[in-house]
Amino acid sequence: MALLEAKGVNVVYEPNRGQRIWSVRDVDLTLQEGEFVGLVGESGCGKSTLGFALTRMLRPPAHLEGGVIRFDGEDICALEGEPLRRQRRNGFAIVLQSGMNALNPVRSVEHHFADILKAHARDKEDLAAGTLRARGAQLLQSVQLDPDVLDRFPHELSGGMRQRVSIALALALQPRLIVFDEPTTALDVIVQSAVIATIKDLQAKQSFTAILISHDLGVVLDATDRVMVMYAGRILEDQPSKELLRGPHHPYTEALLRCYGDPRADEVHLGGIAGSPPDLSLPQEGCSFAPRCPLAEEVCRQVDPALTPLGSGRVACHVRARESNLTTKARDDL
Amino acid sequence: MTSELDPAAARPPGAADGGPAGAPSRAVPALVVDAVTKTYAARGRRKSAVTAVDHVSFTIEPGAAIGLVGASGSGKSTLAKMISGSQRPTTGSIRFGDTVVESLHARGLREYHRSVQMVFQDPYGALNPLHTVAYTVSRPCQNFLGLSATKALDRVHELLETVGLAPPEQFAAKLPHQLSGGQRQRVVVARALACDPELIIADEPVSMLDVSLRAGILRLLARLREQRGLSLLYITHDLLSARVVTDQILVLNKGRVVERGQTKHVMQHPQDDYTIRLLDAVATPYAAQEPPPAS
């Protein structure tokens, strides 16, 4: 059974004054136990909002508007109070972008571990200071930090170390699903690749289910098994990472891939995408990428394409779906 | 364009073709960074000073594009601040033609900024949220070029068109929050161009932008260089963008230059360990597929 299943999820930001913003629109997704999935998109595409919705972290003015989210078979949309807290204990955890600021500046790292372990302790669990400290040390070791870090305060640690502490804290209750929301965006390139390597390694060893949210397709393709590409609140493409790299289906994914290159190549040409994403406070007509799409046709401007199976993934594109139908039909005719 | 503040300054060797002193035309001199060191005194109990930049020398010839690359803490932004005149080197010297940058004060610095302008990383923080695009871009036109308000506005429209914000009349009236990140960065570039500088120092100009907008800004910088003969000092941790816009790069680690040379050559045949680590850290989706060409 799938660990996480979302159907028709919509998230709306509804400020007291001003317009409603449709941040996530009609998202369907399924995560199998132990899968490592990437969620990629540019700023404002709704990827973090979706990550928050899946872990029940949305706060006003954002709220779910329709849709079902099942975690381990249980509908978590309606959970409140103690049952929600129980889910958060061993269900899911989230690592935020600014791990640097997620730690309490006046408390030692040890206190952070003790706090989480005590707050979510089960009956008759050993809460002796020594036990908690040993557990903290062990968690720090799993993210390649020295146990001495327990006695340090956040300001004594570098950005990369603080982000590693946040990851260790997320692991503390052995959650089944961890959402990493831009865990390396504030870090420099060398530290970024080291932190991503740690996450990849942890996921492989402890086989929790993970979602890596990032604006950087390069990072995500390198780390994950499967990638979902978001644009203007919708998932446009969902494919195994290796296949997405070899043969992207959606024109947006193709264009995104052209924005990267290898600095060591003989000739480097960086592509871009002209235009800008649509205003999500306005009703969307047709495919939201159509105004920037080189393949757009009349139907693209009128009908929003559904996310339909294609090859080993899914794509939301009229043109590509039709092309694939044609090739299937041609094969059948032979 | 000789500064009257430092007549005794020795002419740097790199600026020999910078035009004779007192020449009426604005001949473009080279920028020479000569054995510059910057040390920050540490306060507190452990009193060991931090050397942010350690004996760095290089020259930016007119029309050249030089890249300064390194991870955070490598000293690249400190160098940018010294070159722009907002900080002074502890030892060493920075010269722009006959101008000795570290000796400049109010008026001299103002004159210098007519030739050397900066583009910063954060297009959200670099624009006053209460000023329209027209106001932001017209200030340097009035302050540096002494244009009247109407003439300045004409120039604003021209500049906005140059940086790809068309139709300019429409963008001129907007406030920063009405623009996307890429558009804001174009406004910042337009402002830097307003006083017709010879050198632009761009400190991580694309690292806060979406990848789909990155190429547009980089292409704009390349085009300005071609059309206006601008020199460019491009500071970044992103080797890919450095490869696209620069001819020469310097790799900085802990304030020291660990490697320098033709950009393409350095990337294809890196010698220093640190350069190799930087290259390996570039998240390119193709890395897994195509191994780098064997050297």
Side-chain angles (χ1 to χ4, degrees), chain A residues 56-203:
Chain A
R56 282 299 312 277
M57 293 269 288
L58 288 179
R59 290 260 177 88
H63 62 90
L64 267 176
E65 189 147 305
V68 183
I69 302 169
R70 281 199 196 86
F71 184 81
D72 207 14
E74 183 185 4
D75 185 352
I76 58 168
C77 293
L79 284 188
E80 287 301 335
E82 190 50 33
L84 179 60
R85 206 175 108 84
R86 213 178 309 124
Q87 268 308 356
R88 284 194 173 132
R89 177 166 68 208
N90 39 19
F92 34 78
I94 189 161
V95 175
L96 298 172
Q97 174 169 3
S98 43
M100 9 259 0
N101 310 324
L103 306 175
N104 186 340
V106 296
R107 290 297 201 162
S108 69
V109 169
E110 182 177 7
H111 175 85
H112 287 83
F113 284 102
D115 189 32
I116 288 192
L117 293 171
K118 279 185 197 158
H120 290 283
R122 293 176 180 81
D123 290 343
K124 290 175 199 159
E125 203 170 335
D126 178 10
L127 291 175
T131 321
L132 294 179
R133 191 175 166 87
R135 181 89 183 103
Q138 184 197 347
L139 286 162
L140 285 179
Q141 263 163 350
S142 70
V143 293
Q144 281 121 47
L145 285 179
D146 198 277
D148 292 351
V149 170
L150 280 176
D151 298 319
R152 308 261 206 102
F153 285 83
H155 73 268
E156 296 178 290
L157 305 173
S158 70
M161 289 167 92
R162 274 182 275 185
Q163 196 56 276
R164 282 173 193 272
V165 170
S166 312
I167 294 169
L169 286 168
L171 294 169
L173 299 163
Q174 294 167 299
R176 296 172 66 190
L177 169 70
I178 303 185
V179 176
F180 297 92
D181 186 10
E182 302 262 13
T184 58
T185 302
L187 307 174
D188 83 53
V189 268
I190 291 180
V191 183
Q192 158 167 308
S193 66
V195 171
I196 292 289
T198 302
I199 293 176
K200 214 170 143 181
D201 187 49
L202 282 169
Q203 198 275 334

Side-chain angles (χ1 to χ4, degrees), chain A residues 42-43 188 259 263-266, chain B residues 72 210 212 214 243 268 280 285:
Chain A
E42 297 185 283
S43 33
D188 83 53
C259 297
R264 295 184 234 213
D266 280 332
Chain B
S72 37
D210 277 326
S212 67
R214 179 167 70 179
R243 171 72 201 274
Q268 292 190 334
D280 287 342

Side-chain angles (χ1 to χ4, degrees), chain A:
Chain A
M1 190 174 59
L3 180 68
L4 185 78
E5 212 180 348
K7 272 212 159 56
V9 170
N10 284 283
V11 181
V12 179
Y13 282 84
E14 196 161 18
N16 290 334
R17 292 165 42 189
Q19 289 154 310
R20 289 158 63 94
I21 293 164
W22 295 80
S23 180
V24 172
R25 299 181 294 138
D26 284 323
V27 164
D28 292 340
L29 60 86
T30 310
L31 255 75
Q32 300 301 329
E33 187 105 48
E35 236 187 332
F36 193 1
V37 175
L39 197 55
V40 170
E42 297 185 283
S43 33
C45 73
K47 55 190 189 301
S48 292
T49 306
L50 178 59
F52 274 42
L54 295 177
T55 47
R56 282 299 312 277
M57 293 269 288
L58 288 179
R59 290 260 177 88
H63 62 90
L64 267 176
E65 189 147 305
V68 183
I69 302 169
R70 281 199 196 86
F71 184 81
D72 207 14
E74 183 185 4
D75 185 352
I76 58 168
C77 293
L79 284 188
E80 287 301 335
E82 190 50 33
L84 179 60
R85 206 175 108 84
R86 213 178 309 124
Q87 268 308 356
R88 284 194 173 132
R89 177 166 68 208
N90 39 19
F92 34 78
I94 189 161
V95 175
L96 298 172
Q97 174 169 3
S98 43
M100 9 259 0
N101 310 324
L103 306 175
N104 186 340
V106 296
R107 290 297 201 162
S108 69
V109 169
E110 182 177 7
H111 175 85
H112 287 83
F113 284 102
D115 189 32
I116 288 192
L117 293 171
K118 279 185 197 158
H120 290 283
R122 293 176 180 81
D123 290 343
K124 290 175 199 159
E125 203 170 335
D126 178 10
L127 291 175
T131 321
L132 294 179
R133 191 175 166 87
R135 181 89 183 103
Q138 184 197 347
L139 286 162
L140 285 179
Q141 263 163 350
S142 70
V143 293
Q144 281 121 47
L145 285 179
D146 198 277
D148 292 351
V149 170
L150 280 176
D151 298 319
R152 308 261 206 102
F153 285 83
H155 73 268
E156 296 178 290
L157 305 173
S158 70
M161 289 167 92
R162 274 182 275 185
Q163 196 56 276
R164 282 173 193 272
V165 170
S166 312
I167 294 169
L169 286 168
L171 294 169
L173 299 163
Q174 294 167 299
R176 296 172 66 190
L177 169 70
I178 303 185
V179 176
F180 297 92
D181 186 10
E182 302 262 13
T184 58
T185 302
L187 307 174
D188 83 53
V189 268
I190 291 180
V191 183
Q192 158 167 308
S193 66
V195 171
I196 292 289
T198 302
I199 293 176
K200 214 170 143 181
D201 187 49
L202 282 169
Q203 198 275 334
K205 275 192 198 141
Q206 307 191 1
S207 64
F208 49 80
T209 311
I211 302 179
L212 175 63
I213 300 175
S214 173
H215 65 278
D216 195 333
L217 187 56
V219 167
V220 168
L221 278 174
D222 184 41
T224 61
D225 309 325
R226 185 153 70 93
V227 175
M228 289 184 249
V229 181
M230 274 188 89
Y231 184 80
R234 295 209 59 192
I235 292 178
L236 295 188
E237 174 157 9
D238 173 8
Q239 270 214 82
S241 309
K242 287 204 181 87
E243 274 148 64
L244 184 120
L245 182 56
R246 242 179 284 136
H249 289 318
H250 202 282
Y252 176 62
T253 319
E254 265 170 42
L256 265 188
L257 279 169
R258 276 197 297 269
C259 297
Y260 293 86
D262 184 348
R264 295 184 234 213
D266 280 332
E267 288 295 327
V268 183
H269 179 80
L270 280 196
I273 307 175
S276 43
D279 183 346
L280 293 177
S281 62
L282 304 173
Q284 304 293 310
E285 205 166 287
C287 172
S288 44
F289 187 62
R292 302 170 84 184
C293 181
L295 304 180
E297 300 172 351
E298 203 43 48
V299 59
C300 302
R301 291 181 200 99
Q302 286 166 6
V303 185
D304 199 0
L307 191 59
T308 48
L310 177 63
S312 47
R314 300 180 295 168
V315 69
C317 176
H318 291 300
V319 179
R320 286 297 148 82
R322 191 185 61 221
E323 282 171 5
S324 116
N325 279 342
L326 289 178
T327 42
T328 329
K329 197 156 171 285
R331 210 170 36 228
D332 292 346
D333 288 348
L334 274 174

Side-chain angles (χ1 to χ4, degrees), chain B residues 34-96:
Chain B
D34 188 4
V36 163
T37 296
K38 177 76 184 177
T39 318
Y40 290 106
R43 279 180 288 181
R45 268 178 301 163
R46 276 174 288 166
K47 271 190 184 166
S48 60
V50 178
T51 305
V53 175
D54 196 0
H55 283 89
V56 172
S57 301
F58 61 92
T59 303
I60 307 175
E61 298 290 348
I66 310 267
L68 278 181
V69 300
S72 37
S74 59
K76 34 189 212 308
S77 293
T78 305
L79 256 172
K81 284 179 194 156
M82 291 191 287
I83 295 170
S84 68
S86 60
Q87 290 198 0
R88 280 156 216 269
T90 313
T91 62
S93 174
I94 297 167
R95 296 180 297 265
F96 185 67

Side-chain angles (χ1 to χ4, degrees), chain B residues 249-264:
Chain B
I249 57 165
L250 286 88
V251 182
L252 282 176
N253 183 19
K254 293 180 183 150
R256 283 169 187 271
V257 177
V258 292
E259 188 154 2
R260 64 168 78 200
Q262 292 270 314
T263 307
K264 184 174 171 182

Side-chain angles (χ1 to χ4, degrees), chain B residues 9 21 61 84 93 101 107 113 119 124 141 157 162 176 180 189 203 259 295:
Chain B
E61 298 290 348
S84 68
S93 174
V101 177
R107 256 181 72 199
H113 282 156
V119 171
Y124 297 85
C141 303
H157 288 166
T162 308
S180 70
V189 173
D203 191 355
E259 188 154 2
S295 52

